[in-house]
Amino acid sequence: MVAVATLAPEAPSRESTPLRDALLTAIAPASFGTVYVATTLLLPPDRPLLAAAARALPAGLLILAFTRTLPRGTWWWKTMALGMLNVGAFFPLLFVAVYRLPGGLAATFGALQPLIVAALAVPLLKTRTPRAVLLACVAVAAGVALMTTTAATMPDPVGIAAMLSATSLMGLAIVLGKKWGSPVPALTMTGWQLTIGGLALTPLTLAVEGLPTTFTAANLIGFAYVGLIGTALAYTLWFRGVQRLAPTSTSLLSTANPLVATLAGFAFLGQTLTPWQITGFTIALVALVVGQSMNRSTK
């Protein structure tokens, strides 16, 4: 029997602390950062819609079968809106960027997300981000941007547009997720959004790209990793953090995405790091830590 959600907001456990919440939430963008390498090495080439649908729908249905809970009332349209922002629109745009840009560069544009979230929080949440935290956000963006100043070739404009759009959509989803709260645990919310986004993407994938004639063992391993680790686990921790942390704090943690993507590209794809890139990496990492500290002190 499938249960329906009660509309009591999820409360943090007694063991929950801001530092613990931040560390658990940071696992999500760190996992997202590994998706770039997994896509390049393991997934079928040039199939962003297939990658997006296969990332979302199996993981969503698996979680839904486990939680056996459906939305009710206004949470049907709220979940559909969040599911399209976080998954249905975000995933294909993300994979378009991943296939067209180096992983570290694609993830770099995510560094603008804290500034987008800070701007959206003013009209939607009626809150202003403290100036010191905004300066940390700017420092993070500058540090991550510095990591890409030595790119050997001009970045693909379609890839850049796709990644900027994806970053903006997730920023809006963070603010709306904080505004609306959640009637269910993070795992259940993850299942709802992945299923809705995956159901929207599947017919589009079949109509536009179709399916490959064969799947290799590497493809299957890649889909399993991206779906279970980079999506089901990562998004559960991410949605948990959206509810427990300040919006800009959550968004600042997304900086772990380009940092991990850069390190993964260096380790697995033979990409080199210049002294300027190392400097940018250090600036972004320090600003991330300082920004998180200030966010906790101003909550």
Side-chain angles (χ1 to χ4, degrees), residues 162-215:
M163 196 61 204
L164 287 175
S165 299
T167 299
S168 300
L169 291 177
M170 179 167 270
L172 177 58
I174 289 173
V175 176
L176 289 178
K178 189 68 176 179
K179 179 180 178 67
W180 291 338
S182 175
V184 292
L187 181 64
T188 304
M189 178 61 70
T190 301
W192 290 356
Q193 293 191 40
L194 289 176
T195 301
I196 287 173
L199 288 174
L201 286 169
T202 297
L204 182 63
T205 301
L206 295 175
V208 175
E209 291 181 355
L211 297 176
T213 54
T214 60
F215 287 99

